Amino acid sequence: MTDALTRQRILRETRSVAIVGASANPSRASYFVWTYLKSTSDYDIYLVNPTVSAIEGTAVYPSLAELPVVPDLVDVFRRHDDLPGVLDETLAVGAKTLWLQLGLRHDQVVRDGQSAGLQVVADRCLKIEHARFAGGLHLAGFNTGVIDSRRP
């Protein structure tokens, strides 16, 4: 597992992010992370999904290999069984970091990625971590001031 200081350094050094498993559905986590990063960061963001050609006018690429740049960080929104293939693609394009979103954990992918020289973050939300280190958790709705679970 990566510690908080390592995650902070990764996010500070990142300039480009590829979101693998990008969705045009506003209720999907990948869409929310994309719109958050687009509005709050200076990252160059690339969307990857072989079944979609554009999301809100933004080009979507069918694979990491077809991106016009090598992304620094590959943020993954795919099923557990797809993760070894995403690792292979990430290594093939030469990205520095593989980031498995909250709820995604694949110990073999983590080990293989680290053995190949990748920085690997697993089971963490890129949006939440970015907001935490950028001081924006309150802006993202996490610091609501509500102490009780009952609504007024």
Side-chain angles (χ1 to χ4, degrees):
M1 292 301 288
T2 56
D3 62 26
L5 289 176
T6 301
R7 292 190 308 273
Q8 183 179 36
R9 180 189 48 76
I10 289 170
L11 293 176
R12 187 178 55 247
E13 293 173 356
T14 293
R15 297 290 170 255
S16 58
V17 174
I19 298 177
V20 174
S23 174
N25 183 342
S27 66
R28 301 295 297 235
S30 62
Y31 181 92
F32 190 63
V33 168
W34 170 58
T35 57
Y36 166 82
L37 290 175
K38 185 171 68 165
S39 67
T40 63
S41 78
D42 292 329
Y43 298 148
D44 293 326
I45 304 167
Y46 299 90
L47 305 177
V48 178
N49 184 327
T51 66
V52 180
S53 61
I55 299 175
E56 293 186 13
T58 299
V60 179
Y61 298 88
S63 68
L64 289 173
E66 296 186 49
L67 293 176
V69 301
V70 174
D72 293 325
L73 186 149
V74 174
D75 187 22
V76 184
F77 292 87
R78 296 289 306 272
R79 292 181 306 216
H80 179 269
D81 293 344
D82 297 333
L83 299 179
V86 175
L87 170 62
D88 291 343
E89 284 187 64
T90 301
L91 291 171
V93 299
K96 298 174 190 171
T97 303
L98 179 66
W99 190 293
L100 305 179
Q101 270 299 134
L102 193 62
L104 288 181
R105 178 139 190 95
H106 194 299
D107 292 337
Q108 190 63 49
V109 165
V110 170
R111 281 192 299 273
D112 291 349
Q114 289 172 335
S115 293
L118 275 179
Q119 301 175 111
V120 181
V121 177
D123 195 21
R124 294 278 179 175
C125 177
L126 183 60
K127 180 215 165 292
I128 292 172
E129 295 298 303
H130 182 273
R132 173 193 327 258
F133 299 125
L137 278 179
H138 62 288
L139 299 174
F142 292 97
N143 183 7
T144 62
V146 175
I147 298 171
D148 195 337
S149 63
R150 293 176 284 164
R151 296 178 186 235

